[in-house]
Amino acid sequence: MSPSAHSHPVVPESALADTVLGRLTTLYPAAADSERAVRAAAYMKNVAPFLGIATPQRRLLSREVLQGVGRPDETDCTAVALRCWALPEREYQYFATAFLRRHVARCSSGFLPVLRHVVDTVPWWDTVDLLAVHVAGPLVAVDQGLRVAMDRWIEDDSVWVTRTALLHQLRYKEKTDTKRLFGYCLLRAEHPDFFVRKAIGWCLREYARTDPEAVRDFVGGARDRLSPLSVREALKNIG
């Protein structure tokens, strides 16, 4: 399914988001560094403009933004995420990603359309990978009915939605659904995109920390279908 088939989620009313975005759009621009912004944008292949705030400073500013702000609910998380993604500079999306990671337990399966939107809007590995591992992963772990959604995402036309499906179990360890892990890798083994092939290798390499023999056996049996990149990444630590 193509991204165009998905409707844009509506930004809900949220007093918490009003406070957060008001502070954020005041403090972040005041700390902007135009020279650093050019370098940061170039490093990220100009996927988005940057304000040019160094990570340690951005984290300090984010704590100031959130000082005294109560715990968000799912509506607040939705509003913060969508409003940050509507802003041009990448640091706002970094803020939202960290916010969602921190408060994912406040969200239900109903948050998934919002997650899909932010995964595939201004998509690049710097936000997608964190959203996959620390937002999609916990949501699916809590509501295993969402596995069916991941079964759709793995076949999505979007490289980044597919990558999210591959990576969502990255921290599951012994709770990994190996049938899905290996099945997803086989399903997209011949995908031409670097980021999908890399993700196949990465999720296999990570699971090899838990069960190296299973990964070695899987790669041995699927070597003729997996790309050399995927094989190399999968076996990096186990040979």
Side-chain angles (χ1 to χ4, degrees):
M1 185 177 293
S2 64
S4 60
H6 295 267
S7 59
H8 190 300
V10 175
V11 182
E13 294 291 326
S14 164
L16 184 148
D18 290 343
T19 297
V20 167
L21 269 293
R23 294 176 181 178
L24 193 61
T25 54
T26 299
L27 292 171
Y28 269 28
D33 180 327
S34 59
E35 292 184 4
R36 182 183 290 273
V38 170
R39 294 195 300 271
Y43 178 70
M44 288 298 170
K45 306 298 184 183
N46 293 301
V47 67
F50 278 73
L51 291 167
I53 308 172
T55 299
Q57 184 181 14
R58 177 169 54 80
R59 288 173 176 162
L60 287 173
L61 291 172
S62 296
R63 284 201 286 270
E64 189 173 346
V65 167
L66 294 171
Q67 189 171 6
V69 173
R71 285 188 177 183
D73 58 19
E74 186 171 318
T75 297
D76 299 323
C77 290
T78 297
V80 168
L82 295 178
R83 288 176 65 174
C84 283
W85 246 267
L87 295 170
E89 290 85 8
R90 195 59 162 171
E91 286 90 344
Y92 295 117
Q93 289 140 35
Y94 291 164
F95 175 88
T97 298
F99 188 84
L100 293 179
R101 178 176 178 175
R102 181 178 181 182
H103 297 295
V104 63
R106 313 288 292 178
C107 298
S108 70
S109 59
F111 188 74
L112 207 66
V114 179
L115 177 60
R116 192 201 184 285
H117 174 77
V118 298
V119 161
D120 204 34
T121 301
V122 199
W124 199 239
W125 62 264
D126 54 340
T127 54
V128 170
D129 293 358
L130 292 171
L131 291 168
V133 177
H134 300 293
V135 182
L139 286 174
V140 176
V142 169
D143 183 354
Q144 295 191 2
L146 292 180
R147 291 177 177 183
V148 177
M150 293 298 103
D151 292 346
R152 293 193 300 270
W153 286 28
I154 192 64
E155 298 195 74
D156 201 277
D157 291 343
S158 165
V159 165
W160 302 103
V161 174
T162 295
R163 184 171 167 99
T164 299
L166 284 163
L167 297 180
H168 84 276
Q169 296 195 85
L170 206 70
R171 297 291 182 263
Y172 280 19
K173 299 181 179 179
E174 68 280 353
K175 295 181 180 178
T176 298
D177 180 341
T178 54
K179 181 179 179 180
R180 276 188 165 83
L181 172 65
F182 296 147
Y184 286 4
C185 291
L186 284 176
L187 190 63
R188 304 319 302 257
E190 297 171 11
H191 198 290
D193 189 87
F194 168 85
F195 284 103
V196 172
R197 292 183 171 197
K198 184 85 169 182
I200 289 170
W202 185 13
C203 64
L204 291 172
R205 185 177 79 241
E206 190 64 26
Y207 185 60
R209 296 175 184 271
T210 299
D211 192 342
E213 287 302 319
V215 171
R216 190 180 288 111
D217 290 347
F218 170 74
V219 172
R223 191 181 287 269
D224 60 333
R225 294 181 59 184
L226 296 168
S227 72
L229 171 62
S230 297
V231 170
R232 187 168 61 250
E233 288 294 318
L235 300 180
K236 184 173 287 185
N237 298 326
I238 60 175

